[in-house]
Amino acid sequence: MSNLISKYNISETDLYTLGLVESMKKSSGYSKKEKLKSVSLKILKPYKVKFMDLGVLLNEIKKGGFDTKYSESVSKEKKLEIEKMIQEIVEKSNTKFFKDFWSERSKKQKWGIIISVLFVVGLLSNNGGRKVGNMDPCDCYELFGREKLIGFSNLEKLNKFRYNDCIKVWDNSRKANDGCLEKMGIQ
């Protein structure tokens, strides 16, 4: 056993639990890893681990494979209890974060957040009101010409958006011109 594990006299059951948490971290995304880290800290709290030792200790546990090493010494009932406890802490930390975040906001801030979220959802749901697939080829041909003449950086903001939409549909001014001629029935 490593120096810090024996220094803090961590029980086999807690080592098993910490090993299990470390195994779960391997297949988890960032958010869940952070929640699992809170599980480890909760388990280590009664041992009064010094802050400077915490990182090294968790690293030793990570490398120790204690979930397999002590698997035989922990009963099935205890394993189920441990898994349930881990799940509860992970779920509680999820809701606790949002409750704490929301309760710390003033009424003005809450309304600002709600309005901002609705605005973003509105933009995402209909692409800001722009119909990219229905870009008029004649308008795009004209816009491509204007961009060649004055440069993209000198276009008005709205025209920059329209130009980018035109590029998505027509690729270049020649294709937009062909589309425009076809639309007018010339080609």
Side-chain angles (χ1 to χ4, degrees), residues 44-110:
L44 290 172
K45 190 173 184 173
Y47 294 101
K48 295 181 171 63
V49 177
K50 293 179 184 172
F51 178 75
M52 297 300 286
D53 292 340
L54 194 58
V56 177
L57 178 63
L58 287 173
N59 204 22
E60 288 176 5
I61 292 168
K62 185 178 186 177
K63 292 177 182 174
F66 295 112
D67 54 327
T68 53
K69 188 174 183 179
Y70 293 119
S71 182
E72 299 297 320
S73 64
V74 178
S75 69
K76 287 183 182 181
E77 294 81 24
K78 187 68 177 171
K79 286 179 185 176
L80 290 172
E81 186 181 311
I82 289 169
E83 288 173 17
K84 184 179 176 188
M85 180 263 311
I86 292 171
Q87 192 62 36
E88 285 175 357
I89 293 173
V90 167
E91 287 173 5
K92 196 181 290 182
S93 67
N94 201 10
T95 56
K96 185 179 182 330
F97 169 78
F98 290 110
K99 282 180 183 176
D100 290 347
F101 174 80
W102 193 251
S103 67
E104 292 170 356
R105 303 290 158 242
S106 69
K107 202 172 198 177
K108 266 186 179 178
Q109 289 173 325
K110 288 177 183 176

Side-chain angles (χ1 to χ4, degrees), residues 89-151:
I89 293 173
V90 167
E91 287 173 5
K92 196 181 290 182
S93 67
N94 201 10
T95 56
K96 185 179 182 330
F97 169 78
F98 290 110
K99 282 180 183 176
D100 290 347
F101 174 80
W102 193 251
S103 67
E104 292 170 356
R105 303 290 158 242
S106 69
K107 202 172 198 177
K108 266 186 179 178
Q109 289 173 325
K110 288 177 183 176
W111 277 109
I113 291 169
I114 291 169
I115 291 168
S116 299
V117 166
L118 291 174
F119 179 74
V120 170
V121 167
L123 282 177
L124 294 175
S125 67
N126 70 357
N127 200 13
R130 301 188 320 263
K131 295 178 182 164
V132 176
N134 296 337
M135 294 301 295
D136 183 80
C138 299
D139 289 344
C140 287
Y141 179 68
E142 181 184 325
L143 194 55
F144 285 138
R146 189 176 309 147
E147 185 273 335
K148 275 188 181 158
L149 188 65
I150 65 172

